[in-house]
Structures are given as C-alpha cells and as structure tokens.
Amino acid sequence: MNRPVPILMYHAVAHRPAKAAYGLSVAPEAFAAQMAVLAEQGRTPLTTAALAEAWRAGKPLPDRPVLITFDDGYEGVHRHALPVLAEHGFAATLFVSTGWLRGPYDEGGAPDTMLDWGQARELAAAGTEIGGHTHTHPQLDQVDDARLRYEAVRCREIVAAELGAAPVSFAYPYGYSSRRVRHTVRTAGFTQALAVGNALARRAQGPYALERVTVRRSTGVEEFRRLVEGRAIGRTFARDRALTKGYAVVRRTRRAAAVLAGQHRGGRGGTHTERRAQNPVR
C-alpha cells in the first residue's frame, strides 16, 4: 500500500507538433512502444482518482500499478493515444485546460491543435478520467486569490457542464503550486492534485502534491523502462531539479513583490482580474 507508484506525465502525442509543444510531445510510434513496455511488464494502469481513493481508504493496489496522464488536452490524445490505450485496455487520466479546448469556451492561446468537446466526451466514454487543469493555464502560484479561484472553479464548472460529472482530479499547470494554491484547489471541489517533481508518487506526499515523471520527445524506450521501474530518475532529471530549485526562489520573490504592490494599490477598486473573478461563471 505504501510502495511508490510511477505517474507518467504526457502532453502532445503527434508526428509534427507545433514548436511550442515539441519538447514535451511524443511521437505516436514512441507512445505505442512505451505502452507495449507497460504491457510487457504486467503493469496495471489506474486513473488518478482510483489511486487517490485507494491511498485515502487504505485499500490494496495492484501488484504493478502505473498512472498514464496527459496534460492540456491536445487533439493527438484522441487521434493517436486513445486507440493504443484501447488496444491494451489501459486506463488513463486527461487533464484539460477548458479555455484551450475547441468550442464555446475557447479563449485562444493554445500551443497546438486541441481537442474539441465531442472528442473529450469520446475519451470519457472510453474510460479515460477527465480532470481539471485550470481554464486558461496560468502559473497559479503567481496570480492573485480571485484569479486563482476563478481558474479552478471555472474549469470544474465547464467540465461538469460538458461531460455531466464534475472532475475530482487536478493537475497544476507547469507543476507550480504552493500552500495557497493547494488550499484553493481543494476548496474548489477537487479531491486530489498532481504536481511534477520527476519522482515516483508516494502516499506520504499527500493527495494534493503527488509527483509525476515527465515523458518527452527525447525519452527512448530503455530510458522509459528505467523511469517506470524507478531506476536512475535522480540522474536523468538532475539538471531539471537544479533549475527548478533555483527558479523556486525567484518565483517566491516575484510573488511577494506582487502581493506588496497589490497592497499599495488597495482601495482603488481592485484589478480587472479581481473584479472579473468575483463572478466566475459567464
């Protein structure tokens, strides 16, 4: 029950992704080969909700659990990943930024071609858990409280309206969170949330800070096999972790400066974002 679980983080699955999505994409044939590795290893993919519920209730997990997760909502998840998942009978979780999906809530700014809501419904019908990934994909630890709540609540409301069930799982855009962010995500109605971390997930991390392992364009089959088995993760992501640690200091300083600036502006009626977020449903 307490053993670590690999949670794989994917983004776009495409032959020729847009430049903005390229580094964190995987080719369709690479994705198929990686899923074949999981099948060969006898892995049992779970949804994020299923893992969190098992850990919350103290229920046993399968012998070799794994989570397959996708962020943002790229169209290739439906076109390329869904047939492979269906072939193996694998569960997965897709975290959508609702303001990026094609349709009535599209705010623009998506880095590549995204799913439409019909495709999202087909994924859900096939057994893919649909989770929240905010509405417009901001860096949540850098926005004010009103915008933070708007992003979480608006995303949850749209998914509920389009799919008929409110999402219970959440993934932080860019992996950035803080105590304030985690509290807001919880009060918005999500019961678990994923970060990045590039480490195996453990029950002790808590339901709102579960860590994932990044799968990217450069991840070969043998490296993928090692990551899933939990071997050499520290060495593989050493540079990423060093950069993340340094950037965390910058981010905290930037946020503190923003809060101080906001205090100086207090009494001027609030910012446009604050006024807009007072009524998150539009």
Side-chain angles (χ1 to χ4, degrees):
M1 182 176 68
N2 294 317
R3 66 184 184 277
V5 175
I7 303 180
L8 306 174
M9 182 180 69
Y10 289 94
H11 288 77
V13 182
H15 292 292
R16 291 180 294 278
K19 183 178 180 180
Y22 186 84
L24 288 176
S25 71
V26 297
E29 56 270 21
F31 181 77
Q34 291 161 5
M35 295 303 100
V37 168
L38 299 184
E40 174 189 301
Q41 292 182 341
R43 297 277 173 179
T44 301
L46 305 172
T47 63
T48 302
L51 174 69
E53 174 58 27
W55 274 347
R56 189 176 290 111
K59 297 178 181 177
L61 295 173
D63 287 339
R64 309 203 78 191
V66 66
L67 273 67
I68 304 162
T69 70
F70 302 90
D71 282 9
D72 302 340
Y74 293 94
E75 193 270 343
V77 175
H78 181 275
R79 181 187 298 271
H80 300 297
L82 179 57
V84 178
L85 295 171
E87 176 186 348
H88 292 290
F90 284 173
T93 303
L94 167 67
F95 297 102
V96 296
S97 293
T98 50
W100 279 1
L101 267 59
R102 289 178 289 143
Y105 316 103
D106 190 350
E107 302 263 0
D112 206 341
T113 303
M114 311 305 282
L115 297 164
D116 62 33
W117 284 102
Q119 292 170 323
R121 282 188 284 273
E122 289 178 10
L123 281 156
T128 299
E129 177 191 6
I130 308 298
H133 197 45
T134 71
H135 185 52
T136 64
H137 204 275
Q139 299 176 21
L140 290 179
D141 62 336
Q142 299 298 299
V143 302
D144 61 42
D145 291 348
R147 173 75 183 281
L148 173 57
R149 177 162 176 77
Y150 169 83
E151 289 287 341
V153 171
R154 181 64 172 152
C155 173
R156 194 164 189 265
E157 290 176 339
I158 290 173
V159 173
E162 289 292 328
L163 303 185
V168 295
S169 302
F170 188 88
Y172 306 109
Y174 311 100
Y176 301 146
S177 72
S178 64
R179 181 177 298 179
R180 179 180 68 101
V181 171
R182 293 189 289 273
H183 174 75
T184 301
V185 167
R186 179 173 62 82
T187 57
F190 294 97
T191 56
Q192 52 273 331
L194 303 184
V196 181
N198 286 314
L200 299 185
R202 300 174 185 272
R203 190 183 185 198
Q205 292 163 358
Y208 293 93
L210 296 174
E211 297 188 336
R212 294 187 284 177
V213 175
T214 306
V215 184
R216 45 198 171 194
R217 200 82 181 181
S218 60
T219 304
V221 171
E222 289 309 312
E223 180 181 318
F224 178 82
R225 193 184 302 273
R226 290 194 300 272
L227 295 179
V228 174
E229 293 171 352
R231 294 187 288 117
I233 290 180
R235 184 168 68 250
T236 300
F237 294 104
R239 182 175 180 274
D240 301 69
R241 289 178 174 179
L243 291 172
T244 299
K245 187 175 181 180
Y247 195 36
V249 177
V250 175
R251 299 180 67 76
R252 285 195 294 270
T253 302
R254 183 185 297 164
R255 174 60 189 161
V259 170
L260 183 60
Q263 291 172 347
H264 285 312
R265 291 194 303 268
R268 297 184 184 179
T271 66
H272 170 72
T273 298
E274 290 166 341
R275 291 194 299 271
R276 177 188 182 196
Q278 287 172 2
N279 183 14
V281 180
R282 67 171 194 260

PDB file of all heavy atoms in Angstrom, residues 9 42 46 50 62-63 75 78 85 105 112 125 148 152 154 162 173 216 219 239 262 271-272:
ATOM      1  N   MET A   9       3.740  11.556 -17.008  1.00  0.00           N
ATOM      2  CA  MET A   9       3.146  12.805 -17.477  1.00  0.00           C
ATOM      3  C   MET A   9       3.448  12.994 -18.959  1.00  0.00           C
ATOM      4  O   MET A   9       4.597  13.192 -19.358  1.00  0.00           O
ATOM      5  CB  MET A   9       3.694  14.003 -16.698  1.00  0.00           C
ATOM      6  CG  MET A   9       3.072  15.330 -17.123  1.00  0.00           C
ATOM      7  SD  MET A   9       3.713  16.766 -16.201  1.00  0.00           S
ATOM      8  CE  MET A   9       5.393  16.841 -16.818  1.00  0.00           C
ATOM      9  N   GLY A  42       3.645  -6.221 -17.231  1.00  0.00           N
ATOM     10  CA  GLY A  42       2.491  -6.616 -16.432  1.00  0.00           C
ATOM     11  C   GLY A  42       1.953  -5.503 -15.568  1.00  0.00           C
ATOM     12  O   GLY A  42       1.381  -5.748 -14.491  1.00  0.00           O
ATOM     13  N   LEU A  46      -3.937   2.787 -13.613  1.00  0.00           N
ATOM     14  CA  LEU A  46      -5.061   3.266 -12.821  1.00  0.00           C
ATOM     15  C   LEU A  46      -5.352   4.714 -13.192  1.00  0.00           C
ATOM     16  O   LEU A  46      -4.487   5.423 -13.695  1.00  0.00           O
ATOM     17  CB  LEU A  46      -4.723   3.213 -11.322  1.00  0.00           C
ATOM     18  CG  LEU A  46      -4.256   1.888 -10.732  1.00  0.00           C
ATOM     19  CD1 LEU A  46      -3.800   2.103  -9.296  1.00  0.00           C
ATOM     20  CD2 LEU A  46      -5.371   0.859 -10.793  1.00  0.00           C
ATOM     21  N   ALA A  50      -8.649   6.722  -8.903  1.00  0.00           N
ATOM     22  CA  ALA A  50      -8.577   5.381  -8.311  1.00  0.00           C
ATOM     23  C   ALA A  50      -7.383   5.253  -7.372  1.00  0.00           C
ATOM     24  O   ALA A  50      -7.483   4.660  -6.283  1.00  0.00           O
ATOM     25  CB  ALA A  50      -8.510   4.332  -9.414  1.00  0.00           C
ATOM     26  N   PRO A  62      -2.982  -2.862  -7.159  1.00  0.00           N
ATOM     27  CA  PRO A  62      -2.488  -3.987  -7.957  1.00  0.00           C
ATOM     28  C   PRO A  62      -0.986  -4.170  -7.734  1.00  0.00           C
ATOM     29  O   PRO A  62      -0.294  -3.265  -7.253  1.00  0.00           O
ATOM     30  CB  PRO A  62      -2.786  -3.565  -9.397  1.00  0.00           C
ATOM     31  CG  PRO A  62      -3.826  -2.514  -9.294  1.00  0.00           C
ATOM     32  CD  PRO A  62      -3.602  -1.816  -7.999  1.00  0.00           C
ATOM     33  N   ASP A  63      -0.465  -5.305  -8.111  1.00  0.00           N
ATOM     34  CA  ASP A  63       0.948  -5.599  -7.888  1.00  0.00           C
ATOM     35  C   ASP A  63       1.885  -4.599  -8.560  1.00  0.00           C
ATOM     36  O   ASP A  63       2.885  -4.194  -7.987  1.00  0.00           O
ATOM     37  CB  ASP A  63       1.280  -7.011  -8.390  1.00  0.00           C
ATOM     38  CG  ASP A  63       0.720  -8.092  -7.465  1.00  0.00           C
ATOM     39  OD1 ASP A  63       0.453  -7.771  -6.294  1.00  0.00           O
ATOM     40  OD2 ASP A  63       0.557  -9.232  -7.917  1.00  0.00           O
ATOM     41  N   GLU A  75      -5.207  17.401 -29.303  1.00  0.00           N
ATOM     42  CA  GLU A  75      -6.044  16.580 -30.173  1.00  0.00           C
ATOM     43  C   GLU A  75      -5.446  15.203 -30.414  1.00  0.00           C
ATOM     44  O   GLU A  75      -6.166  14.213 -30.572  1.00  0.00           O
ATOM     45  CB  GLU A  75      -6.247  17.316 -31.508  1.00  0.00           C
ATOM     46  CG  GLU A  75      -7.333  16.733 -32.405  1.00  0.00           C
ATOM     47  CD  GLU A  75      -6.807  15.672 -33.355  1.00  0.00           C
ATOM     48  OE1 GLU A  75      -5.569  15.596 -33.553  1.00  0.00           O
ATOM     49  OE2 GLU A  75      -7.637  14.909 -33.898  1.00  0.00           O
ATOM     50  N   HIS A  78      -6.650  12.010 -28.550  1.00  0.00           N
ATOM     51  CA  HIS A  78      -7.784  11.277 -29.128  1.00  0.00           C
ATOM     52  C   HIS A  78      -7.367  10.522 -30.383  1.00  0.00           C
ATOM     53  O   HIS A  78      -7.678   9.341 -30.549  1.00  0.00           O
ATOM     54  CB  HIS A  78      -8.912  12.259 -29.443  1.00  0.00           C
ATOM     55  CG  HIS A  78     -10.131  11.626 -30.021  1.00  0.00           C
ATOM     56  ND1 HIS A  78     -10.270  11.362 -31.376  1.00  0.00           N
ATOM     57  CD2 HIS A  78     -11.287  11.178 -29.443  1.00  0.00           C
ATOM     58  CE1 HIS A  78     -11.438  10.802 -31.597  1.00  0.00           C
ATOM     59  NE2 HIS A  78     -12.083  10.690 -30.441  1.00  0.00           N
ATOM     60  N   LEU A  85      -4.355   2.935 -26.110  1.00  0.00           N
ATOM     61  CA  LEU A  85      -4.880   2.632 -24.773  1.00  0.00           C
ATOM     62  C   LEU A  85      -5.986   1.586 -24.860  1.00  0.00           C
ATOM     63  O   LEU A  85      -6.033   0.644 -24.046  1.00  0.00           O
ATOM     64  CB  LEU A  85      -5.416   3.915 -24.129  1.00  0.00           C
ATOM     65  CG  LEU A  85      -4.399   5.016 -23.819  1.00  0.00           C
ATOM     66  CD1 LEU A  85      -5.110   6.293 -23.397  1.00  0.00           C
ATOM     67  CD2 LEU A  85      -3.421   4.573 -22.741  1.00  0.00           C
ATOM     68  N   TYR A 105     -15.990  27.710 -25.224  1.00  0.00           N
ATOM     69  CA  TYR A 105     -15.249  28.347 -24.134  1.00  0.00           C
ATOM     70  C   TYR A 105     -13.822  28.709 -24.535  1.00  0.00           C
ATOM     71  O   TYR A 105     -13.032  29.143 -23.704  1.00  0.00           O
ATOM     72  CB  TYR A 105     -15.205  27.418 -22.914  1.00  0.00           C
ATOM     73  CG  TYR A 105     -16.520  26.761 -22.607  1.00  0.00           C
ATOM     74  CD1 TYR A 105     -16.745  25.425 -22.950  1.00  0.00           C
ATOM     75  CD2 TYR A 105     -17.554  27.470 -21.983  1.00  0.00           C
ATOM     76  CE1 TYR A 105     -17.958  24.815 -22.690  1.00  0.00           C
ATOM     77  CE2 TYR A 105     -18.779  26.868 -21.717  1.00  0.00           C
ATOM     78  CZ  TYR A 105     -18.972  25.536 -22.072  1.00  0.00           C
ATOM     79  OH  TYR A 105     -20.169  24.932 -21.814  1.00  0.00           O
ATOM     80  N   ASP A 112      -1.051  24.389 -29.639  1.00  0.00           N
ATOM     81  CA  ASP A 112      -1.179  23.496 -30.797  1.00  0.00           C
ATOM     82  C   ASP A 112      -2.652  23.172 -30.972  1.00  0.00           C
ATOM     83  O   ASP A 112      -3.508  23.716 -30.278  1.00  0.00           O
ATOM     84  CB  ASP A 112      -0.361  22.214 -30.567  1.00  0.00           C
ATOM     85  CG  ASP A 112       0.091  21.542 -31.861  1.00  0.00           C
ATOM     86  OD1 ASP A 112      -0.500  21.839 -32.927  1.00  0.00           O
ATOM     87  OD2 ASP A 112       1.023  20.726 -31.823  1.00  0.00           O
ATOM     88  N   ALA A 125     -16.075   8.440 -22.448  1.00  0.00           N
ATOM     89  CA  ALA A 125     -16.892   7.242 -22.663  1.00  0.00           C
ATOM     90  C   ALA A 125     -16.033   5.992 -22.759  1.00  0.00           C
ATOM     91  O   ALA A 125     -16.489   4.882 -22.423  1.00  0.00           O
ATOM     92  CB  ALA A 125     -17.735   7.406 -23.921  1.00  0.00           C
ATOM     93  N   LEU A 148      -7.000  32.994  -8.992  1.00  0.00           N
ATOM     94  CA  LEU A 148      -6.719  31.600  -8.653  1.00  0.00           C
ATOM     95  C   LEU A 148      -8.018  30.814  -8.488  1.00  0.00           C
ATOM     96  O   LEU A 148      -8.183  29.735  -9.068  1.00  0.00           O
ATOM     97  CB  LEU A 148      -5.893  31.551  -7.372  1.00  0.00           C
ATOM     98  CG  LEU A 148      -5.620  30.183  -6.744  1.00  0.00           C
ATOM     99  CD1 LEU A 148      -4.935  29.244  -7.730  1.00  0.00           C
ATOM    100  CD2 LEU A 148      -4.757  30.355  -5.490  1.00  0.00           C
ATOM    101  N   ALA A 152      -9.715  27.652 -11.068  1.00  0.00           N
ATOM    102  CA  ALA A 152     -10.085  26.318 -10.595  1.00  0.00           C
ATOM    103  C   ALA A 152     -11.585  26.078 -10.732  1.00  0.00           C
ATOM    104  O   ALA A 152     -12.024  25.032 -11.230  1.00  0.00           O
ATOM    105  CB  ALA A 152      -9.641  26.149  -9.142  1.00  0.00           C
ATOM    106  N   ARG A 154     -13.948  27.791 -12.547  1.00  0.00           N
ATOM    107  CA  ARG A 154     -14.458  27.856 -13.923  1.00  0.00           C
ATOM    108  C   ARG A 154     -14.165  26.575 -14.677  1.00  0.00           C
ATOM    109  O   ARG A 154     -15.027  26.044 -15.386  1.00  0.00           O
ATOM    110  CB  ARG A 154     -13.824  29.064 -14.638  1.00  0.00           C
ATOM    111  CG  ARG A 154     -14.285  29.256 -16.080  1.00  0.00           C
ATOM    112  CD  ARG A 154     -15.758  29.564 -16.155  1.00  0.00           C
ATOM    113  NE  ARG A 154     -16.172  29.928 -17.507  1.00  0.00           N
ATOM    114  CZ  ARG A 154     -17.399  29.727 -17.973  1.00  0.00           C
ATOM    115  NH1 ARG A 154     -18.325  29.180 -17.197  1.00  0.00           N
ATOM    116  NH2 ARG A 154     -17.715  30.092 -19.198  1.00  0.00           N
ATOM    117  N   GLU A 162     -20.149  20.014 -19.616  1.00  0.00           N
ATOM    118  CA  GLU A 162     -19.940  19.329 -20.890  1.00  0.00           C
ATOM    119  C   GLU A 162     -19.972  17.810 -20.779  1.00  0.00           C
ATOM    120  O   GLU A 162     -20.413  17.124 -21.702  1.00  0.00           O
ATOM    121  CB  GLU A 162     -18.607  19.769 -21.500  1.00  0.00           C
ATOM    122  CG  GLU A 162     -18.603  21.197 -22.018  1.00  0.00           C
ATOM    123  CD  GLU A 162     -19.510  21.370 -23.232  1.00  0.00           C
ATOM    124  OE1 GLU A 162     -19.655  20.413 -24.021  1.00  0.00           O
ATOM    125  OE2 GLU A 162     -20.092  22.467 -23.391  1.00  0.00           O
ATOM    126  N   PRO A 173      -0.816  23.555 -13.682  1.00  0.00           N
ATOM    127  CA  PRO A 173      -0.062  23.967 -14.873  1.00  0.00           C
ATOM    128  C   PRO A 173       1.401  24.221 -14.530  1.00  0.00           C
ATOM    129  O   PRO A 173       1.699  24.859 -13.510  1.00  0.00           O
ATOM    130  CB  PRO A 173      -0.766  25.252 -15.310  1.00  0.00           C
ATOM    131  CG  PRO A 173      -2.163  25.098 -14.804  1.00  0.00           C
ATOM    132  CD  PRO A 173      -2.009  24.400 -13.482  1.00  0.00           C
ATOM    133  N   ARG A 216       9.083  12.817 -22.514  1.00  0.00           N
ATOM    134  CA  ARG A 216       9.229  13.841 -23.536  1.00  0.00           C
ATOM    135  C   ARG A 216       9.734  13.248 -24.846  1.00  0.00           C
ATOM    136  O   ARG A 216       9.923  12.035 -24.960  1.00  0.00           O
ATOM    137  CB  ARG A 216      10.144  14.961 -23.044  1.00  0.00           C
ATOM    138  CG  ARG A 216      11.403  14.509 -22.348  1.00  0.00           C
ATOM    139  CD  ARG A 216      11.995  15.647 -21.545  1.00  0.00           C
ATOM    140  NE  ARG A 216      13.094  15.202 -20.691  1.00  0.00           N
ATOM    141  CZ  ARG A 216      13.609  15.924 -19.702  1.00  0.00           C
ATOM    142  NH1 ARG A 216      13.119  17.119 -19.449  1.00  0.00           N
ATOM    143  NH2 ARG A 216      14.598  15.477 -18.982  1.00  0.00           N
ATOM    144  N   THR A 219      12.750  10.913 -24.805  1.00  0.00           N
ATOM    145  CA  THR A 219      12.733   9.715 -23.959  1.00  0.00           C
ATOM    146  C   THR A 219      12.711   8.454 -24.815  1.00  0.00           C
ATOM    147  O   THR A 219      11.713   8.149 -25.459  1.00  0.00           O
ATOM    148  CB  THR A 219      11.511   9.721 -23.021  1.00  0.00           C
ATOM    149  OG1 THR A 219      11.500  10.927 -22.247  1.00  0.00           O
ATOM    150  CG2 THR A 219      11.551   8.517 -22.074  1.00  0.00           C
ATOM    151  N   ARG A 239      19.501  17.936 -13.885  1.00  0.00           N
ATOM    152  CA  ARG A 239      19.537  19.317 -14.365  1.00  0.00           C
ATOM    153  C   ARG A 239      18.183  19.996 -14.150  1.00  0.00           C
ATOM    154  O   ARG A 239      18.114  21.152 -13.727  1.00  0.00           O
ATOM    155  CB  ARG A 239      19.921  19.355 -15.841  1.00  0.00           C
ATOM    156  CG  ARG A 239      20.027  20.766 -16.406  1.00  0.00           C
ATOM    157  CD  ARG A 239      20.536  20.747 -17.841  1.00  0.00           C
ATOM    158  NE  ARG A 239      20.647  22.108 -18.380  1.00  0.00           N
ATOM    159  CZ  ARG A 239      19.647  22.761 -18.943  1.00  0.00           C
ATOM    160  NH1 ARG A 239      18.444  22.187 -19.064  1.00  0.00           N
ATOM    161  NH2 ARG A 239      19.827  23.995 -19.407  1.00  0.00           N
ATOM    162  N   GLY A 262       0.203  44.935  -4.711  1.00  0.00           N
ATOM    163  CA  GLY A 262      -1.248  44.910  -4.596  1.00  0.00           C
ATOM    164  C   GLY A 262      -1.739  45.617  -3.352  1.00  0.00           C
ATOM    165  O   GLY A 262      -2.773  46.284  -3.362  1.00  0.00           O
ATOM    166  N   THR A 271      -8.229  45.127  -9.148  1.00  0.00           N
ATOM    167  CA  THR A 271      -7.788  44.987 -10.534  1.00  0.00           C
ATOM    168  C   THR A 271      -8.901  44.428 -11.395  1.00  0.00           C
ATOM    169  O   THR A 271      -9.914  43.923 -10.895  1.00  0.00           O
ATOM    170  CB  THR A 271      -6.584  44.043 -10.614  1.00  0.00           C
ATOM    171  OG1 THR A 271      -7.011  42.741 -10.238  1.00  0.00           O
ATOM    172  CG2 THR A 271      -5.453  44.498  -9.707  1.00  0.00           C
ATOM    173  N   HIS A 272      -8.698  44.479 -12.732  1.00  0.00           N
ATOM    174  CA  HIS A 272      -9.667  43.899 -13.661  1.00  0.00           C
ATOM    175  C   HIS A 272      -9.851  42.413 -13.386  1.00  0.00           C
ATOM    176  O   HIS A 272     -10.974  41.899 -13.393  1.00  0.00           O
ATOM    177  CB  HIS A 272      -9.189  44.109 -15.097  1.00  0.00           C
ATOM    178  CG  HIS A 272      -9.988  43.344 -16.110  1.00  0.00           C
ATOM    179  ND1 HIS A 272     -11.272  43.688 -16.453  1.00  0.00           N
ATOM    180  CD2 HIS A 272      -9.686  42.214 -16.821  1.00  0.00           C
ATOM    181  CE1 HIS A 272     -11.734  42.829 -17.342  1.00  0.00           C
ATOM    182  NE2 HIS A 272     -10.792  41.931 -17.579  1.00  0.00           N
TER     183      HIS A 272
END
